[in-house]
Amino acid sequence: MDLDVEEEPGIWKHLRDGTADLDVATVWEAYLENLDVVLEEVADLLETLDGKSVITADHGNFVGERLSPIPSRRKYGHPYGVHAEELVKVPWFVVEGDGRREIRSEPPVERESVDEETVDERLEALGYR
């Protein structure tokens, strides 16, 4: 899979650069709408699972916040090298369930090797570089 992040900049870059054709309120509205869609799917999935489940994510994003102690330009996305609670606090929600799932050990899954350039491209596309 080729990821050419230079060809199609994402919304976070447009917001950082001031080139977005929408405002932060619209971004929040879209974010919450997406969350509603995902949580409906999670609710359906939880109905099929026994035992305890955890709903989580990988990290947060800035959506126009300013860093302190000195107010700076508004931040968007997940800027490289910035350590802030909004970015590193991982959402975690436990759903108690009936019964206990069977826990079994399985051998590791063999994965194809990926070259360093592909890894760098993928990380950049996710906003880490």
Side-chain angles (χ1 to χ4, degrees), residues 22-42:
L22 49 100
D23 59 14
V24 174
T26 305
V27 173
W28 270 115
E29 185 179 328
Y31 174 86
L32 294 172
E33 182 178 317
N34 184 63
L35 183 59
D36 286 342
V37 169
V38 169
L39 290 177
E40 282 182 31
E41 295 298 322
V42 169

Side-chain angles (χ1 to χ4, degrees), residues 7-119:
E7 186 177 310
E8 188 74 32
I11 186 61
W12 304 123
K13 182 171 180 3
H14 282 299
L15 287 165
R16 277 193 301 272
D17 295 346
T19 58
D21 59 353
L22 49 100
D23 59 14
V24 174
T26 305
V27 173
W28 270 115
E29 185 179 328
Y31 174 86
L32 294 172
E33 182 178 317
N34 184 63
L35 183 59
D36 286 342
V37 169
V38 169
L39 290 177
E40 282 182 31
E41 295 298 322
V42 169
D44 290 346
L45 179 62
L46 288 172
E47 289 180 14
T48 68
L49 299 174
D50 294 326
K52 183 186 289 188
S53 297
V54 175
I55 304 167
T56 188
D58 59 347
H59 63 76
N61 284 306
F62 284 127
V63 187
E65 291 84 357
R66 295 181 189 268
L67 297 179
S68 60
I70 302 169
S72 60
R73 291 180 52 201
R74 294 189 181 278
K75 303 291 183 194
Y76 298 95
H78 194 249
Y80 180 75
V82 176
H83 181 87
E85 186 173 344
E86 294 90 342
L87 302 179
V88 299
K89 184 176 180 182
V90 176
W92 184 270
F93 182 74
V94 177
V95 179
E96 298 295 338
D98 297 327
R100 180 171 171 89
R101 290 193 196 114
E102 176 186 343
I103 300 172
R104 62 183 180 275
S105 176
E106 296 179 355
V109 175
E110 293 290 327
R111 301 199 189 271
E112 70 177 80
S113 178
V114 178
D115 63 86
E116 190 171 333
E117 182 179 341
T118 300
V119 171

